[in-house]
Amino acid sequence: MKIWKKLKFPAQEFNLENTLVNGQCFNWRKIGDHHYEGVFSKYYVQVKRDNDAYVQYSTIPPNENPEKEQLFEDQFKSYLNYDANIPELYEHWAQKDKRFSQIAEPIHGVRCLRQDPWECTVSFICSQCNNIKRITQLLETLRKTVSQIVALNQQSQFGSEICEIDQDDGTRRKIYQFPTVEQLQTATEKQLRELMFGYRAKYLVAISKQIVDKGGQNWLESLRGQPNEKIREELTSLPGIGSKVADCIALFSLDCANSIPVDTHVFQIALKLGYVKGLKKDSSLNNKLYLQIVQAFRDKFGDKAGWAHQIMFAGDLKSFQEKISNSNSANTSAQNSKKRKIDEIKDQEEEKEEEEIKVQDVDTKRETRSKRRKLN
DNA sequence: TGTTGACCTGACCA
DNA sequence: GTGGTCAGGTCAA
C-alpha cells in the first residue's frame, strides 16, 4: 500500500512531463497520465499530479518517521529547485525573446533540476553522439548491472538494490540505485563495452578512478559554489569531458544557472534566431564560436540564462514540436488579439535583427551554390 | 590555431 | 533486406 505525500506545487510552476523528460535527466519514466516513476537518491519514487495546486509523491522504502520524511522532502525540494519562481522568470524571458514567448505556454512549468553531480557526469558522458531513448536505456543498464559487476569483481558484497515492485503482467521488477563512484570504479572497460557503452566505456572507467583519487563524491560536491570558470577547468581536465558536457554538469548539478551547454540543438537555435552575427549553418563549432554562443544567450536572458536555454532546447526537440504546433493552432482569437499587440512591439524591435538573418541566409545559399559548382 | 576523422551502437528511412 | 545517415561530443593528429 503506497503512502502518498502532498507537496504544494501549482501546475504553472512545475509541469511533470516538461521537466522530467526534457533531456536534462534520464532517471524518470512515464507510467500514466501525469504520473512518473524514477530512482532518486536511495529511493524508488513515484510522482503524480491530479490537481492544479499539488503534486503527490510516494517512496519505497517509505520513511518511517516524521524526521526522515522531512529530510526526504527537503532533499526532493532541493532537487526540484523548489524556491525558484518559475512563472516570474518565464515572464521575464518572454519579454526578452519572441521565440521564447511562443513556446512558453506549450512548454510551461519547466524547472531546471539540481541533480547529483556524479550521476549527472555519467549521464552526459553517455550522451555523446547518442539519443535520449538510448541514454536512458544505458543508464538503466548501468543501475541494474553494476551491483552484479561489483559482486563479480569481489570488491564488495553489497549491491545497490532498492526494492522489488509488482508489474502489470504479474512479474516483479528489481529497482537499483545509481552506482557510486567507488562502485563504478570496480568495473572494467571490457565489462562496460559488453553493456553497449561503446567508446564511452574507457572514459567512464578512467573518470571513476580520477574522481576517486580527487576525493570522490565529496570532491564533486565541493565544486558547488565555485566560480563558473573554475568548475569548467576542473571538469574539462577529466577524460571524456569537453566544454559541452562540462557545461551540462555545471548547469544541472553544480548550481551554475548561467552555464550554456552548446550542442547541435543550441547551435541551430542560435543560427535560426540570429543570436550570433555572421553565424552560418556550416560554421565549425570551435572554442571561439562556442563562447560567442554562450555569451549571446547570457546577454539575452541574464543570470539564469542556462535555465532559459533548457526551455529553448526542449522547444527544439522533436518530442516537443507537436505540442508547440498544437498549442499555436488552438489559440483562441481573443488570445491572439492580445498576443498580436505584444508581438507587434517585438516585431518592430526584431525587424532589424531578422533582416540580418535574411542576409546571412542569402550568403549561406550563395556559398553553398558556389561550393557545389566547384565540386562539379 | 583551426579543422578533420575516428570512435560504438541502434533507430530510421529510402 | 540492406546500406547510408544521424544522434545533445571528445580527442588527437
Side-chain angles (χ1 to χ4, degrees):
Chain A
M1 179 83 179
K2 282 194 197 79
I3 302 165
W4 290 96
K5 299 279 175 187
K6 268 184 168 181
L7 190 61
K8 194 180 174 193
F9 227 151
Q12 282 299 318
E13 293 203 19
F14 178 31
N15 179 291
L16 298 183
E17 180 168 3
N18 293 347
T19 298
L20 300 178
V21 288
N22 73 3
Q24 63 174 319
C25 61
F26 308 95
N27 55 330
W28 296 96
R29 196 167 71 96
K30 188 172 185 170
I31 52 173
D33 280 349
H34 312 289
H35 192 172
Y36 290 79
E37 66 169 10
V39 179
F40 168 67
S41 181
K42 294 175 180 175
Y43 296 88
Y44 165 79
V45 181
Q46 284 194 14
V47 55
K48 65 180 182 182
R49 178 182 290 284
D50 39 28
N51 75 57
D52 277 351
Y54 292 89
V55 291
Q56 295 190 62
Y57 65 85
S58 74
T59 67
I60 301 178
N63 290 302
E64 67 272 14
N65 61 54
E67 287 83 40
K68 275 200 163 182
E69 184 52 50
Q70 189 58 48
L71 202 67
F72 176 84
E73 189 180 300
D74 291 346
Q75 215 183 342
F76 198 43
K77 279 180 170 176
S78 163
Y79 175 71
L80 296 169
N81 271 311
Y82 185 76
D83 292 330
N85 187 334
I86 294 299
E88 199 177 286
L89 287 166
Y90 263 63
E91 211 179 311
H92 170 68
W93 294 326
Q95 282 168 6
K96 298 283 178 188
D97 188 83
K98 188 179 166 185
R99 173 63 181 161
F100 189 96
S101 68
Q102 288 168 342
I103 63 172
E105 180 44 40
I107 317 184
H108 68 275
V110 173
R111 306 190 76 81
C112 215
L113 300 174
R114 188 174 191 256
Q115 301 174 48
D116 173 82
W118 168 239
E119 182 169 346
C120 194
T121 301
V122 175
S123 302
F124 284 96
I125 285 178
C126 294
S127 77
Q128 295 178 21
C129 284
N130 227 335
N131 54 59
I132 293 176
K133 193 179 165 191
R134 197 161 155 252
I135 301 164
T136 308
Q137 277 170 355
L138 279 176
L139 295 171
E140 204 175 324
T141 305
L142 197 66
R143 276 198 297 272
K144 274 182 195 166
T145 321
V146 83
S147 60
Q148 292 159 23
I149 290 177
V150 169
L152 189 72
N153 294 351
Q154 297 181 326
Q155 296 292 321
S156 163
Q157 57 181 312
F158 304 109
S160 40
E161 187 181 327
I162 295 175
C163 60
E164 257 189 9
I165 55 167
D166 293 320
Q167 301 195 108
D168 291 342
D169 61 4
T171 60
R172 287 171 74 76
R173 178 163 56 107
K174 285 187 177 181
I175 305 291
Y176 301 90
Q177 72 183 72
F178 198 81
T180 62
V181 196
E182 289 78 13
Q183 285 176 328
L184 192 59
Q185 189 199 13
T186 69
T188 64
E189 184 181 335
K190 186 169 176 280
Q191 285 169 325
L192 293 178
R193 275 184 182 269
E194 280 164 6
L195 296 174
M196 305 302 169
F197 280 83
Y199 64 87
R200 304 162 197 91
K202 66 173 183 296
Y203 294 147
L204 291 176
V205 172
I207 222 166
S208 307
K209 288 190 167 55
Q210 289 193 24
I211 291 180
V212 167
D213 288 344
K214 285 172 183 284
Q217 181 78 17
N218 288 341
W219 175 75
L220 276 170
E221 283 177 13
S222 76
L223 295 176
R224 279 180 175 157
Q226 302 266 354
N228 203 325
E229 292 314 309
K230 165 83 176 158
I231 291 177
R232 235 167 166 263
E233 192 187 318
E234 290 284 356
L235 292 175
T236 51
S237 73
L238 297 167
I241 298 186
S243 300
K244 191 263 169 178
V245 172
D247 284 334
C248 284
I249 300 166
L251 175 62
F252 299 130
S253 74
L254 296 174
D255 301 336
C256 292
N258 69 344
S259 269
I260 311 289
V262 181
D263 55 30
T264 52
H265 290 279
V266 176
F267 180 92
Q268 289 304 321
I269 291 165
L271 177 72
K272 270 186 270 182
L273 304 183
Y275 283 6
V276 176
K277 215 175 170 183
L279 182 63
K280 297 190 176 99
K281 67 177 176 187
D282 54 354
S283 296
S284 162
L285 186 57
N286 54 34
N287 197 38
K288 189 181 161 195
L289 180 55
Y290 187 102
L291 294 175
Q292 279 180 322
I293 296 175
V294 168
Q295 197 53 50
F297 269 83
R298 286 179 182 164
D299 290 345
K300 195 164 263 284
F301 295 108
D303 64 346
K304 287 193 167 52
W307 292 15
H309 135 281
Q310 182 56 24
I311 295 150
M312 297 289 276
F313 168 82
D316 200 58
L317 291 178
K318 227 186 241 172
S319 51
F320 283 86
Q321 291 289 334
E322 202 181 334
K323 257 189 177 184
I324 295 167
S325 55
N326 285 348
S327 163
N328 287 344
S329 60
N331 271 342
T332 63
S333 59
Q335 280 172 322
N336 282 338
S337 158
K338 190 184 166 189
K339 207 168 155 280
R340 264 198 301 276
K341 278 181 188 165
I342 300 167
D343 284 350
E344 269 172 29
I345 299 165
K346 281 183 192 151
D347 279 345
Q348 284 165 6
E349 285 171 2
E350 293 184 11
E351 213 174 280
K352 237 178 130 185
E353 220 172 310
E354 283 172 2
E355 274 306 312
E356 278 181 11
I357 305 168
K358 279 178 196 163
V359 170
Q360 285 163 21
D361 276 353
V362 171
D363 282 349
T364 312
K365 280 175 190 163
R366 197 177 294 145
E367 202 175 309
T368 312
R369 278 199 300 272
S370 155
K371 275 185 181 169
R372 207 175 291 145
R373 271 199 298 275
K374 275 180 195 169
L375 282 171
N376 289 338

